[in-house]
Protein backbone atom coordinates (compact mmCIF):
# COMPACT_ATOMS: atom_id res chain seq x y z
CA UNK A 1 0.00 0.00 0.00
CA UNK A 2 1.34 3.44 -0.89
CA UNK A 3 0.26 7.02 -1.47
CA UNK A 4 1.20 7.43 -5.13
CA UNK A 5 -1.89 7.65 -7.33
CA UNK A 6 -3.33 9.41 -10.35
CA UNK A 7 -5.20 12.57 -9.39
CA UNK A 8 -6.91 14.55 -12.15
CA UNK A 9 -4.96 12.49 -14.64
CA UNK A 10 -1.51 13.13 -13.16
CA UNK A 11 0.51 10.78 -10.96
CA UNK A 12 0.83 12.38 -7.56
CA UNK A 13 2.70 11.75 -4.33
CA UNK A 14 0.02 12.22 -1.67
CA UNK A 15 -1.49 15.56 -2.83
CA UNK A 16 1.51 16.81 -4.81
CA UNK A 17 1.58 16.37 -8.59
CA UNK A 18 4.80 14.84 -9.88
CA UNK A 19 4.41 17.06 -12.96
CA UNK A 20 4.58 20.14 -10.75
CA UNK A 21 7.62 18.74 -8.95
CA UNK A 22 9.34 18.00 -12.25
CA UNK A 23 8.80 21.61 -13.31
CA UNK A 24 10.11 22.95 -10.00
CA UNK A 25 13.00 20.55 -9.37
CA UNK A 26 13.95 19.33 -12.85
CA UNK A 27 14.42 15.68 -13.80
CA UNK A 28 15.48 13.12 -12.84
CA UNK A 29 14.53 13.24 -9.16
CA UNK A 30 13.53 10.91 -6.36
CA UNK A 31 10.25 11.58 -4.59
CA UNK A 32 9.38 10.03 -1.23
CA UNK A 33 6.03 9.97 0.55
CA UNK A 34 5.97 10.61 4.31
CA UNK A 35 2.57 9.00 4.73
CA UNK A 36 3.80 5.81 3.06
CA UNK A 37 6.90 5.64 5.25
CA UNK A 38 4.70 6.18 8.28
CA UNK A 39 2.16 3.57 7.23
CA UNK A 40 4.82 0.93 6.60
CA UNK A 41 6.53 1.63 9.89
CA UNK A 42 3.22 1.36 11.76
CA UNK A 43 2.13 -1.84 10.03
CA UNK A 44 5.46 -3.46 10.87
CA UNK A 45 5.53 -2.23 14.46
CA UNK A 46 2.01 -3.53 15.04
CA UNK A 47 2.96 -6.95 13.66
CA UNK A 48 5.85 -7.56 16.06
CA UNK A 49 5.92 -7.69 19.89
CA UNK A 50 5.27 -4.30 21.47
CA UNK A 51 8.54 -3.52 23.24
CA UNK A 52 10.69 -4.43 20.18
CA UNK A 53 13.30 -2.06 18.78
CA UNK A 54 12.69 -1.39 15.08
CA UNK A 55 16.04 -0.19 13.78
CA UNK A 56 15.53 1.08 10.22
CA UNK A 57 18.34 -0.07 7.93
CA UNK A 58 20.01 3.20 6.94
CA UNK A 59 21.66 1.70 3.90
CA UNK A 60 18.21 1.33 2.29
CA UNK A 61 17.55 5.07 2.47
CA UNK A 62 19.85 7.37 4.40
CA UNK A 63 18.28 10.72 3.67
CA UNK A 64 18.19 12.77 6.87
CA UNK A 65 14.55 13.75 6.30
CA UNK A 66 13.54 10.10 5.86
CA UNK A 67 15.50 9.11 8.98
CA UNK A 68 13.92 11.93 10.98
CA UNK A 69 10.42 10.99 9.78
CA UNK A 70 10.97 7.44 11.02
CA UNK A 71 12.90 8.44 14.13
CA UNK A 72 10.02 10.69 15.21
CA UNK A 73 7.75 7.62 15.06
CA UNK A 74 10.07 5.77 17.44
CA UNK A 75 12.32 3.98 14.97
CA UNK A 76 15.95 3.32 15.71
CA UNK A 77 18.67 2.79 13.12
CA UNK A 78 20.71 -0.15 11.91
CA UNK A 79 23.99 1.31 10.62
CA UNK A 80 26.87 -0.33 8.78
CA UNK A 81 29.44 2.47 8.84
CA UNK A 82 30.60 5.45 10.86
CA UNK A 83 28.99 7.69 8.23
CA UNK A 84 25.59 6.07 8.66
CA UNK A 85 25.96 6.31 12.44
CA UNK A 86 26.60 10.05 12.15
CA UNK A 87 23.66 10.47 9.80
CA UNK A 88 21.32 8.67 12.17
CA UNK A 89 22.49 10.84 15.06
CA UNK A 90 22.22 13.99 12.89
CA UNK A 91 18.60 13.01 12.18
CA UNK A 92 17.98 12.95 15.92
CA UNK A 93 17.82 9.19 16.44
CA UNK A 94 19.01 8.54 19.99
CA UNK A 95 22.11 6.39 20.41
CA UNK A 96 20.18 3.94 22.58
CA UNK A 97 18.18 3.01 19.48
CA UNK A 98 21.20 2.44 17.21
CA UNK A 99 22.70 -0.95 16.35
CA UNK A 100 25.92 -1.29 14.37
CA UNK A 101 26.17 -4.17 11.86
CA UNK A 102 28.71 -5.00 9.15
CA UNK A 103 31.74 -7.22 8.63
CA UNK A 104 34.43 -4.56 8.43
CA UNK A 105 34.10 -2.15 11.35
CA UNK A 106 37.31 -0.18 11.76
CA UNK A 107 38.95 0.92 14.99
CA UNK A 108 37.84 4.52 14.29
CA UNK A 109 34.24 3.42 13.76
CA UNK A 110 34.30 1.39 16.99
CA UNK A 111 35.61 4.42 18.90
CA UNK A 112 32.89 6.61 17.45
CA UNK A 113 30.15 4.11 18.30
CA UNK A 114 31.49 3.52 21.83
CA UNK A 115 31.75 7.25 22.52
CA UNK A 116 28.14 7.65 21.32
CA UNK A 117 27.13 4.75 23.62
CA UNK A 118 25.06 2.95 20.99
CA UNK A 119 22.66 0.18 21.92
CA UNK A 120 24.58 -2.72 20.46
CA UNK A 121 27.34 -3.99 18.20
CA UNK A 122 26.51 -6.91 15.95
CA UNK A 123 29.89 -8.62 15.79
CA UNK A 124 30.62 -10.74 12.73
CA UNK A 125 34.01 -12.36 13.38
CA UNK A 126 36.51 -13.33 16.05
CA UNK A 127 39.14 -10.72 15.02
CA UNK A 128 36.42 -8.06 15.18
CA UNK A 129 35.49 -9.23 18.67
CA UNK A 130 39.13 -9.01 19.76
CA UNK A 131 39.63 -5.51 18.37
CA UNK A 132 36.36 -4.27 19.86
CA UNK A 133 37.50 -5.58 23.24
CA UNK A 134 40.81 -3.71 22.97
CA UNK A 135 39.18 -0.45 21.85
CA UNK A 136 36.57 -0.66 24.62
CA UNK A 137 39.24 -1.30 27.27
CA UNK A 138 41.31 1.63 25.98
CA UNK A 139 38.22 3.80 26.40
CA UNK A 140 37.58 2.29 29.86
CA UNK A 141 34.19 1.08 28.79
CA UNK A 142 32.43 -2.10 27.79
CA UNK A 143 30.84 -2.86 24.40
CA UNK A 144 27.33 -4.37 24.35
CA UNK A 145 27.56 -7.24 21.86
CA UNK A 146 25.36 -9.58 19.90
CA UNK A 147 27.25 -12.07 17.76
CA UNK A 148 25.82 -12.39 14.27
CA UNK A 149 25.17 -16.04 13.64
CA UNK A 150 25.14 -17.44 10.14
CA UNK A 151 22.44 -20.10 10.38
CA UNK A 152 23.28 -21.64 6.98
CA UNK A 153 19.72 -21.16 5.75
CA UNK A 154 19.08 -20.28 2.12
CA UNK A 155 16.80 -17.25 1.95
CA UNK A 156 15.79 -18.16 -1.65
CA UNK A 157 16.43 -14.67 -2.93
CA UNK A 158 18.89 -13.18 -5.46
CA UNK A 159 22.45 -14.50 -4.90
CA UNK A 160 23.82 -10.97 -4.46
CA UNK A 161 21.53 -10.33 -1.49
CA UNK A 162 21.74 -13.73 0.18
CA UNK A 163 23.69 -13.46 3.45
CA UNK A 164 22.74 -16.45 5.58
CA UNK A 165 24.47 -19.36 3.86
CA UNK A 166 27.89 -20.83 4.64
CA UNK A 167 29.31 -19.44 1.37
CA UNK A 168 28.77 -15.77 2.32
CA UNK A 169 31.09 -13.51 4.29
CA UNK A 170 28.51 -12.76 6.96
CA UNK A 171 28.37 -13.89 10.58
CA UNK A 172 29.86 -16.73 12.58
CA UNK A 173 29.01 -20.25 11.41
CA UNK A 174 26.28 -21.73 13.57
CA UNK A 175 28.49 -24.64 14.64
CA UNK A 176 31.12 -22.28 16.10
CA UNK A 177 28.63 -20.09 17.98
CA UNK A 178 29.13 -21.56 21.45
CA UNK A 179 32.94 -21.27 21.20
CA UNK A 180 32.86 -17.61 20.25
CA UNK A 181 30.43 -16.79 23.05
CA UNK A 182 32.79 -18.55 25.47
CA UNK A 183 35.61 -16.41 24.15
CA UNK A 184 33.49 -13.23 24.36
CA UNK A 185 32.67 -13.99 27.99
CA UNK A 186 36.38 -14.01 28.80
CA UNK A 187 36.93 -10.50 27.42
CA UNK A 188 36.54 -7.67 29.94
CA UNK A 189 35.70 -5.07 27.31
CA UNK A 190 32.79 -7.10 25.96
CA UNK A 191 29.34 -7.45 27.47
CA UNK A 192 27.35 -10.21 25.81
CA UNK A 193 23.74 -9.05 25.45
CA UNK A 194 22.23 -11.24 22.77
CA UNK A 195 22.23 -13.04 19.46
CA UNK A 196 21.86 -11.56 15.96
CA UNK A 197 20.83 -13.06 12.62
CA UNK A 198 20.12 -11.57 9.17
CA UNK A 199 19.73 -14.00 6.27
CA UNK A 200 19.27 -11.71 3.27
CA UNK A 201 17.04 -9.22 1.52
CA UNK A 202 13.91 -9.20 -0.67
CA UNK A 203 12.83 -12.48 0.92
CA UNK A 204 9.35 -13.43 -0.24
CA UNK A 205 9.07 -16.90 1.24
CA UNK A 206 8.53 -17.04 5.01
CA UNK A 207 9.92 -20.52 5.47
CA UNK A 208 13.62 -19.51 5.55
CA UNK A 209 12.81 -16.94 8.24
CA UNK A 210 11.07 -19.65 10.27
CA UNK A 211 14.02 -22.01 9.87
CA UNK A 212 16.60 -19.37 10.79
CA UNK A 213 14.64 -18.06 13.78
CA UNK A 214 14.11 -21.59 15.10
CA UNK A 215 17.86 -22.24 14.90
CA UNK A 216 18.79 -19.07 16.80
CA UNK A 217 16.07 -19.69 19.37
CA UNK A 218 17.67 -23.07 20.07
CA UNK A 219 21.02 -21.35 20.33
CA UNK A 220 19.70 -18.84 22.87
CA UNK A 221 18.71 -21.77 25.10
CA UNK A 222 22.12 -23.45 24.67
CA UNK A 223 23.97 -20.23 25.41
CA UNK A 224 21.96 -19.77 28.58
CA UNK A 225 22.87 -23.29 29.63
CA UNK A 226 26.50 -22.25 29.03
CA UNK A 227 25.94 -19.41 31.51
CA UNK A 228 25.56 -16.41 29.20
CA UNK A 229 22.99 -13.69 29.89
CA UNK A 230 21.07 -13.48 26.63
CA UNK A 231 18.44 -10.77 26.88
CA UNK A 232 18.11 -9.64 23.26
CA UNK A 233 17.47 -11.31 19.97
CA UNK A 234 18.12 -9.30 16.79
CA UNK A 235 16.28 -10.90 13.87
CA UNK A 236 17.62 -8.59 11.16
CA UNK A 237 15.63 -7.35 8.18
CA UNK A 238 14.96 -8.86 4.81
CA UNK A 239 11.20 -8.96 4.32
CA UNK A 240 10.46 -8.51 0.62
CA UNK A 241 8.15 -6.06 -1.13
CA UNK A 242 6.02 -6.32 -4.28
CA UNK A 243 8.01 -4.93 -7.22
CA UNK A 244 5.68 -6.40 -9.83
CA UNK A 245 2.05 -5.45 -9.67
CA UNK A 246 0.80 -8.68 -11.19
CA UNK A 247 2.96 -11.07 -9.22
CA UNK A 248 1.87 -12.88 -6.14
CA UNK A 249 2.12 -10.44 -3.23
CA UNK A 250 4.97 -11.14 -0.80
CA UNK A 251 4.14 -12.17 2.75
CA UNK A 252 2.58 -9.42 4.79
CA UNK A 253 4.16 -8.22 8.03
CA UNK A 254 1.41 -9.90 10.09
CA UNK A 255 2.37 -13.33 8.73
CA UNK A 256 6.02 -12.53 9.42
CA UNK A 257 5.07 -11.41 12.93
CA UNK A 258 3.34 -14.73 13.58
CA UNK A 259 6.50 -16.61 12.57
CA UNK A 260 8.53 -14.39 14.87
CA UNK A 261 6.21 -14.90 17.81
CA UNK A 262 6.04 -18.63 17.23
CA UNK A 263 9.85 -18.91 17.35
CA UNK A 264 10.56 -16.52 20.21
CA UNK A 265 7.52 -16.53 22.53
CA UNK A 266 9.10 -18.50 25.36
CA UNK A 267 12.53 -16.86 25.31
CA UNK A 268 11.75 -13.63 27.15
CA UNK A 269 14.14 -11.68 24.91
CA UNK A 270 13.71 -8.10 23.77
CA UNK A 271 13.51 -8.34 19.99
CA UNK A 272 15.36 -6.09 17.56
CA UNK A 273 14.41 -5.78 13.87
CA UNK A 274 16.33 -4.15 11.04
CA UNK A 275 13.83 -3.63 8.21
CA UNK A 276 14.93 -1.42 5.34
CA UNK A 277 13.29 -2.25 2.03
CA UNK A 278 9.90 -3.04 3.59
CA UNK A 279 9.66 0.46 5.04
CA UNK A 280 11.16 2.54 2.23
CA UNK A 281 10.91 0.78 -1.15
CA UNK A 282 7.30 1.56 -2.02
CA UNK A 283 7.58 4.98 -0.38
CA UNK A 284 9.70 6.30 -3.24
CA UNK A 285 9.66 6.77 -7.02
CA UNK A 286 12.26 8.00 -9.49
CA UNK A 287 10.79 10.50 -11.94
CA UNK A 288 12.47 10.89 -15.30
CA UNK A 289 11.83 12.57 -18.64
CA UNK A 290 11.89 10.85 -22.00
CA UNK A 291 14.76 12.33 -24.03
CA UNK A 292 14.34 10.33 -27.25
CA UNK A 293 12.35 7.49 -28.67
CA UNK A 294 14.89 5.63 -30.81
CA UNK A 295 13.71 3.16 -33.38
CA UNK A 296 16.33 0.38 -33.59
CA UNK A 297 16.26 -2.48 -36.08
CA UNK A 298 15.12 -4.98 -33.51
CA UNK A 299 13.79 -2.81 -30.70
CA UNK A 300 12.26 0.50 -29.79
CA UNK A 301 14.31 2.29 -27.15
CA UNK A 302 12.84 4.73 -24.71
CA UNK A 303 15.86 6.80 -23.72
CA UNK A 304 15.19 8.59 -20.42
CA UNK A 305 17.26 11.08 -18.45
CA UNK A 306 17.71 8.82 -15.39
CA UNK A 307 20.53 6.30 -15.64
CA UNK A 308 22.07 3.38 -13.83
CA UNK A 309 24.08 5.90 -11.82
CA UNK A 310 20.77 7.02 -10.28
CA UNK A 311 19.21 3.57 -9.82
CA UNK A 312 21.54 0.60 -10.16
CA UNK A 313 19.19 -2.17 -9.03
CA UNK A 314 18.19 -3.40 -12.50
CA UNK A 315 21.84 -3.58 -13.61
CA UNK A 316 23.12 -5.04 -10.36
CA UNK A 317 20.37 -7.43 -9.27
CA UNK A 318 18.37 -7.90 -12.47
CA UNK A 319 15.67 -6.13 -10.51
CA UNK A 320 12.22 -5.50 -11.92
CA UNK A 321 10.68 -2.06 -11.42
CA UNK A 322 7.25 -0.99 -12.62
CA UNK A 323 7.44 2.03 -14.94
CA UNK A 324 4.38 4.19 -15.49
CA UNK A 325 3.67 7.40 -17.39
CA UNK A 326 3.13 10.39 -15.11
CA UNK A 327 0.20 11.45 -17.34
CA UNK A 328 -2.51 8.85 -16.86
CA UNK A 329 -3.01 7.06 -20.19
CA UNK A 330 -6.47 6.97 -21.68
CA UNK A 331 -8.16 3.57 -21.34
CA UNK A 332 -7.26 1.46 -24.36
CA UNK A 333 -4.41 3.80 -25.41
CA UNK A 334 -2.04 2.04 -27.85
CA UNK A 335 0.86 0.25 -26.21
CA UNK A 336 4.39 -0.39 -27.44
CA UNK A 337 7.10 -2.73 -26.19
CA UNK A 338 10.04 -0.53 -25.22
CA UNK A 339 13.51 -1.15 -23.92
CA UNK A 340 13.68 1.58 -21.30
CA UNK A 341 17.29 2.75 -21.08
CA UNK A 342 19.36 5.55 -19.58
CA UNK A 343 22.04 7.74 -21.15
CA UNK A 344 25.00 5.98 -19.47
CA UNK A 345 27.49 4.33 -21.81
CA UNK A 346 26.92 0.77 -20.61
CA UNK A 347 24.70 -1.90 -22.12
CA UNK A 348 23.55 -2.72 -18.59
CA UNK A 349 22.06 0.78 -18.29
CA UNK A 350 18.69 -0.82 -18.93
CA UNK A 351 15.69 -0.31 -16.65
CA UNK A 352 13.37 -2.70 -18.46
CA UNK A 353 13.50 -4.87 -21.59
CA UNK A 354 10.51 -5.35 -23.88
CA UNK A 355 8.25 -3.49 -21.50
CA UNK A 356 4.75 -2.84 -22.73
CA UNK A 357 3.94 0.82 -22.05
CA UNK A 358 1.45 3.30 -23.43
CA UNK A 359 3.02 5.10 -26.37
CA UNK A 360 5.35 7.88 -25.19
CA UNK A 361 7.19 10.74 -26.84
CA UNK A 362 10.11 12.99 -26.10
CA UNK A 363 9.35 15.30 -23.16
CA UNK A 364 6.89 12.92 -21.47
CA UNK A 365 7.51 12.02 -17.84
CA UNK A 366 7.73 8.51 -16.46
CA UNK A 367 7.93 7.26 -12.87
CA UNK A 368 10.01 4.23 -11.92
CA UNK A 369 8.16 2.77 -8.95
CA UNK A 370 9.36 1.07 -5.76
CA UNK A 371 12.59 3.07 -5.86
CA UNK A 372 12.66 4.33 -2.27
CA UNK A 373 15.08 1.66 -1.02
CA UNK A 374 18.57 1.00 -2.40
CA UNK A 375 17.96 3.76 -4.96
CA UNK A 376 19.50 7.10 -3.98
CA UNK A 377 21.80 5.44 -1.43
CA UNK A 378 23.46 3.40 -4.19
CA UNK A 379 23.67 6.25 -6.69
CA UNK A 380 26.95 7.55 -8.06
CA UNK A 381 28.32 10.24 -10.31
CA UNK A 382 29.37 7.77 -13.03
CA UNK A 383 29.66 9.43 -16.45
CA UNK A 384 30.03 12.70 -14.48
CA UNK A 385 26.29 12.71 -13.99
CA UNK A 386 25.39 14.37 -10.68
CA UNK A 387 23.10 11.95 -8.77
CA UNK A 388 19.39 12.76 -8.80
CA UNK A 389 18.11 15.07 -6.05
CA UNK A 390 15.55 13.90 -3.48
CA UNK A 391 12.17 15.39 -2.58
CA UNK A 392 9.99 14.49 0.40
CA UNK A 393 6.23 15.07 0.28
CA UNK A 394 3.84 15.33 3.20
CA UNK A 395 0.19 15.95 2.33
CA UNK A 396 0.22 18.98 0.05
CA UNK A 397 3.67 20.12 1.20
CA UNK A 398 7.00 19.17 -0.29
CA UNK A 399 10.65 19.96 0.26
CA UNK A 400 13.92 19.26 -1.52
CA UNK A 401 15.70 17.03 0.99
CA UNK A 402 18.83 16.59 -1.10
CA UNK A 403 19.78 19.28 -3.58
CA UNK A 404 20.90 18.53 -7.09
CA UNK A 405 24.67 18.87 -7.39
CA UNK A 406 25.80 20.85 -10.37
CA UNK A 407 28.78 20.16 -12.61
CA UNK A 408 30.90 22.70 -10.76
CA UNK A 409 30.36 20.71 -7.52
CA UNK A 410 31.65 17.60 -9.29
CA UNK A 411 34.65 19.39 -10.79
CA UNK A 412 35.52 21.11 -7.50
CA UNK A 413 36.22 17.71 -5.90
CA UNK A 414 39.15 17.06 -8.21
CA UNK A 415 42.49 18.77 -7.75
CA UNK A 416 45.50 19.14 -9.99
CA UNK A 417 48.82 18.20 -8.35
CA UNK A 418 51.70 20.67 -8.51
CA UNK A 419 53.44 19.18 -11.56
CA UNK A 420 50.35 19.74 -13.70
CA UNK A 421 49.82 23.36 -12.70
CA UNK A 422 53.39 24.74 -13.03
C1 LIG B 1 20.82 -4.72 4.47
C2 LIG B 1 20.62 -5.15 5.87
C3 LIG B 1 19.36 -5.02 6.48
C4 LIG B 1 18.14 -4.52 5.75
O1 LIG B 1 17.67 -5.43 4.81
P1 LIG B 1 16.25 -5.19 4.09
O2 LIG B 1 16.14 -6.29 3.15
O3 LIG B 1 16.33 -3.87 3.42
O4 LIG B 1 15.21 -5.22 5.14
C5 LIG B 1 19.24 -5.39 7.80
N1 LIG B 1 20.31 -5.85 8.51
C6 LIG B 1 21.54 -6.01 7.95
C7 LIG B 1 22.64 -6.52 8.76
C8 LIG B 1 21.73 -5.66 6.61
O5 LIG B 1 22.92 -5.82 6.06
Amino acid sequence: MNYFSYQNGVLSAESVSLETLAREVGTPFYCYSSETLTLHYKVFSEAVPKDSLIAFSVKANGNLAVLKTLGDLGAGADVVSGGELKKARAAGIPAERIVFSGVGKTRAEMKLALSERIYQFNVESEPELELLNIVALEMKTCAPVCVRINPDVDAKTHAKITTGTAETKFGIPFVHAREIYKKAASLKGIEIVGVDVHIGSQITDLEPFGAAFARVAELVKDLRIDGHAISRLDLGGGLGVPYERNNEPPPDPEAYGRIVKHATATLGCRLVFEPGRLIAANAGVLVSEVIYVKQGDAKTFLIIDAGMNDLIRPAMYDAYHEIVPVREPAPGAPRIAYDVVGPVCETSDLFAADRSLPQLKSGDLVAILTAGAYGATMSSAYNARPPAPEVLVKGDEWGIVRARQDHDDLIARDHLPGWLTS
Side-chain angles (χ1 to χ4, degrees), residues 57-60 77-85 98-106 109 124 148 170 274:
S57 176
V58 174
K59 76 180 197 285
D78 171 42
V79 302
V80 292
S81 71
E84 285 190 355
L85 172 53
I98 295 178
V99 303
F100 194 170
S101 303
V103 298
K105 300 176 197 77
T106 64
E109 289 175 324
E124 303 223 12
R148 178 167 174 182
F170 298 100
E274 303 166 349

CSV table of all heavy atoms in Angstrom, one decimal, residues 57-60 77-85 98-106 109 124 148 170 274:
chain,number,residue,atom,x,y,z
A,57,SER,N,17.0,0.2,8.6
A,57,SER,CA,18.3,-0.1,7.9
A,57,SER,C,18.7,1.2,7.1
A,57,SER,O,18.1,1.4,6.0
A,57,SER,CB,18.2,-1.3,7.1
A,57,SER,OG,19.4,-1.5,6.4
A,58,VAL,N,19.7,1.9,7.6
A,58,VAL,CA,20.0,3.2,6.9
A,58,VAL,C,20.5,3.0,5.5
A,58,VAL,O,20.4,3.9,4.7
A,58,VAL,CB,21.0,4.0,7.8
A,58,VAL,CG1,21.5,5.3,7.2
A,58,VAL,CG2,20.4,4.3,9.2
A,59,LYS,N,21.1,1.9,5.2
A,59,LYS,CA,21.7,1.7,3.9
A,59,LYS,C,20.6,1.6,2.8
A,59,LYS,O,20.8,1.9,1.7
A,59,LYS,CB,22.6,0.5,3.8
A,59,LYS,CG,22.0,-0.9,3.8
A,59,LYS,CD,23.1,-1.9,3.7
A,59,LYS,CE,22.6,-3.3,3.3
A,59,LYS,NZ,21.8,-4.0,4.3
A,60,ALA,N,19.3,1.3,3.2
A,60,ALA,CA,18.2,1.3,2.3
A,60,ALA,C,17.9,2.7,1.9
A,60,ALA,O,17.6,3.0,0.7
A,60,ALA,CB,17.0,0.6,2.9
A,77,ALA,N,17.9,2.9,14.4
A,77,ALA,CA,18.7,2.8,13.1
A,77,ALA,C,19.6,1.6,13.2
A,77,ALA,O,20.3,1.4,14.2
A,77,ALA,CB,19.4,4.1,12.8
A,78,ASP,N,19.7,0.9,12.1
A,78,ASP,CA,20.7,-0.1,11.9
A,78,ASP,C,21.7,0.5,11.0
A,78,ASP,O,21.4,0.8,9.8
A,78,ASP,CB,20.1,-1.4,11.3
A,78,ASP,CG,21.1,-2.4,10.9
A,78,ASP,OD1,22.1,-2.6,11.6
A,78,ASP,OD2,21.0,-3.0,9.8
A,79,VAL,N,23.0,0.6,11.4
A,79,VAL,CA,24.0,1.3,10.6
A,79,VAL,C,25.1,0.3,10.3
A,79,VAL,O,25.4,-0.6,11.1
A,79,VAL,CB,24.5,2.6,11.3
A,79,VAL,CG1,23.4,3.5,11.6
A,79,VAL,CG2,25.3,2.2,12.6
A,80,VAL,N,25.8,0.6,9.2
A,80,VAL,CA,26.9,-0.3,8.8
A,80,VAL,C,28.2,0.4,8.5
A,80,VAL,O,29.1,-0.1,7.9
A,80,VAL,CB,26.5,-1.2,7.5
A,80,VAL,CG1,25.4,-2.2,7.9
A,80,VAL,CG2,26.1,-0.3,6.4
A,81,SER,N,28.2,1.7,9.0
A,81,SER,CA,29.4,2.5,8.8
A,81,SER,C,29.4,3.6,9.8
A,81,SER,O,28.3,4.0,10.3
A,81,SER,CB,29.6,3.0,7.4
A,81,SER,OG,28.7,4.0,7.2
A,82,GLY,N,30.6,4.3,10.0
A,82,GLY,CA,30.6,5.5,10.9
A,82,GLY,C,29.8,6.6,10.2
A,82,GLY,O,29.1,7.3,11.0
A,83,GLY,N,29.8,6.7,8.9
A,83,GLY,CA,29.0,7.7,8.2
A,83,GLY,C,27.5,7.5,8.5
A,83,GLY,O,26.8,8.5,8.8
A,84,GLU,N,27.0,6.3,8.4
A,84,GLU,CA,25.6,6.1,8.7
A,84,GLU,C,25.3,6.4,10.1
A,84,GLU,O,24.2,6.9,10.4
A,84,GLU,CB,25.2,4.6,8.3
A,84,GLU,CG,25.1,4.4,6.8
A,84,GLU,CD,24.5,3.0,6.4
A,84,GLU,OE1,24.2,2.2,7.4
A,84,GLU,OE2,24.3,2.8,5.2
A,85,LEU,N,26.2,6.0,11.0
A,85,LEU,CA,26.0,6.3,12.4
A,85,LEU,C,25.8,7.8,12.6
A,85,LEU,O,24.9,8.3,13.3
A,85,LEU,CB,27.1,5.8,13.3
A,85,LEU,CG,27.2,6.1,14.7
A,85,LEU,CD1,25.9,5.8,15.5
A,85,LEU,CD2,28.3,5.4,15.4
A,98,ILE,N,20.4,2.7,18.4
A,98,ILE,CA,21.2,2.4,17.2
A,98,ILE,C,22.0,1.1,17.4
A,98,ILE,O,22.6,0.9,18.4
A,98,ILE,CB,22.2,3.6,17.0
A,98,ILE,CG1,21.4,4.9,16.6
A,98,ILE,CG2,23.2,3.3,15.9
A,98,ILE,CD1,22.2,6.1,16.4
A,99,VAL,N,21.9,0.3,16.4
A,99,VAL,CA,22.7,-0.9,16.3
A,99,VAL,C,23.7,-0.8,15.2
A,99,VAL,O,23.4,-0.2,14.1
A,99,VAL,CB,21.8,-2.2,16.3
A,99,VAL,CG1,20.9,-2.3,17.4
A,99,VAL,CG2,21.1,-2.3,15.0
A,100,PHE,N,24.8,-1.4,15.3
A,100,PHE,CA,25.9,-1.3,14.4
A,100,PHE,C,26.3,-2.7,13.8
A,100,PHE,O,26.8,-3.5,14.5
A,100,PHE,CB,27.1,-0.7,15.1
A,100,PHE,CG,28.2,-0.2,14.1
A,100,PHE,CD1,29.3,0.6,14.7
A,100,PHE,CD2,28.2,-0.4,12.8
A,100,PHE,CE1,30.3,1.1,13.8
A,100,PHE,CE2,29.2,0.1,11.9
A,100,PHE,CZ,30.3,0.8,12.5
A,101,SER,N,25.9,-2.9,12.5
A,101,SER,CA,26.2,-4.2,11.9
A,101,SER,C,27.3,-4.0,10.9
A,101,SER,O,27.8,-2.9,10.7
A,101,SER,CB,24.9,-4.6,11.1
A,101,SER,OG,23.8,-4.7,12.0
A,102,GLY,N,27.7,-5.1,10.2
A,102,GLY,CA,28.7,-5.0,9.2
A,102,GLY,C,30.0,-5.8,9.5
A,102,GLY,O,30.4,-5.8,10.6
A,103,VAL,N,30.6,-6.3,8.4
A,103,VAL,CA,31.7,-7.2,8.6
A,103,VAL,C,33.1,-6.5,8.8
A,103,VAL,O,34.1,-7.1,9.2
A,103,VAL,CB,31.9,-8.2,7.5
A,103,VAL,CG1,30.7,-9.1,7.3
A,103,VAL,CG2,32.2,-7.5,6.1
A,104,GLY,N,33.1,-5.2,8.5
A,104,GLY,CA,34.4,-4.6,8.4
A,104,GLY,C,34.5,-3.3,9.3
A,104,GLY,O,35.1,-2.3,8.8
A,105,LYS,N,34.0,-3.4,10.5
A,105,LYS,CA,34.1,-2.1,11.3
A,105,LYS,C,35.6,-1.8,11.7
A,105,LYS,O,36.3,-2.7,12.1
A,105,LYS,CB,33.3,-2.4,12.7
A,105,LYS,CG,31.9,-2.7,12.5
A,105,LYS,CD,31.2,-3.0,13.8
A,105,LYS,CE,29.9,-3.7,13.7
A,105,LYS,NZ,30.0,-5.1,13.3
A,106,THR,N,35.9,-0.6,11.5
A,106,THR,CA,37.3,-0.2,11.8
A,106,THR,C,37.4,0.3,13.2
A,106,THR,O,36.4,0.6,13.9
A,106,THR,CB,37.7,1.0,10.8
A,106,THR,OG1,36.9,2.1,11.1
A,106,THR,CG2,37.6,0.6,9.4
A,109,GLU,N,35.7,3.5,13.7
A,109,GLU,CA,34.2,3.4,13.8
A,109,GLU,C,33.8,2.9,15.1
A,109,GLU,O,32.8,3.3,15.7
A,109,GLU,CB,33.7,2.5,12.6
A,109,GLU,CG,33.8,3.2,11.3
A,109,GLU,CD,33.5,2.3,10.1
A,109,GLU,OE1,33.8,1.0,10.2
A,109,GLU,OE2,32.9,2.7,9.1
A,124,GLU,N,30.7,-9.7,13.8
A,124,GLU,CA,30.6,-10.7,12.7
A,124,GLU,C,31.8,-11.7,12.6
A,124,GLU,O,31.8,-12.6,11.8
A,124,GLU,CB,30.4,-10.0,11.4
A,124,GLU,CG,29.2,-9.1,11.4
A,124,GLU,CD,28.4,-9.2,10.1
A,124,GLU,OE1,28.6,-10.2,9.3
A,124,GLU,OE2,27.5,-8.4,9.9
A,148,ARG,N,26.7,-12.0,15.4
A,148,ARG,CA,25.8,-12.4,14.3
A,148,ARG,C,26.1,-13.8,13.9
A,148,ARG,O,27.2,-14.2,13.6
A,148,ARG,CB,26.1,-11.5,13.1
A,148,ARG,CG,25.3,-11.9,11.9
A,148,ARG,CD,25.3,-10.8,10.8
A,148,ARG,NE,24.7,-11.2,9.6
A,148,ARG,CZ,24.6,-10.4,8.5
A,148,ARG,NH1,25.2,-9.2,8.5
A,148,ARG,NH2,24.0,-10.8,7.4
A,170,PHE,N,29.2,-13.3,5.8
A,170,PHE,CA,28.5,-12.8,7.0
A,170,PHE,C,28.4,-13.7,8.2
A,170,PHE,O,28.1,-14.9,8.0
A,170,PHE,CB,27.1,-12.3,6.6
A,170,PHE,CG,27.1,-11.3,5.5
A,170,PHE,CD1,26.9,-11.6,4.2
A,170,PHE,CD2,27.4,-9.9,5.8
A,170,PHE,CE1,27.0,-10.6,3.2
A,170,PHE,CE2,27.5,-9.0,4.9
A,170,PHE,CZ,27.2,-9.3,3.6
A,274,GLU,N,15.6,-5.1,11.9
A,274,GLU,CA,16.3,-4.1,11.0
A,274,GLU,C,15.7,-4.0,9.6
A,274,GLU,O,16.4,-4.3,8.6
A,274,GLU,CB,17.8,-4.6,10.9
A,274,GLU,CG,18.5,-4.8,12.2
A,274,GLU,CD,19.8,-5.6,12.1
A,274,GLU,OE1,20.1,-6.2,11.1
A,274,GLU,OE2,20.6,-5.7,13.1
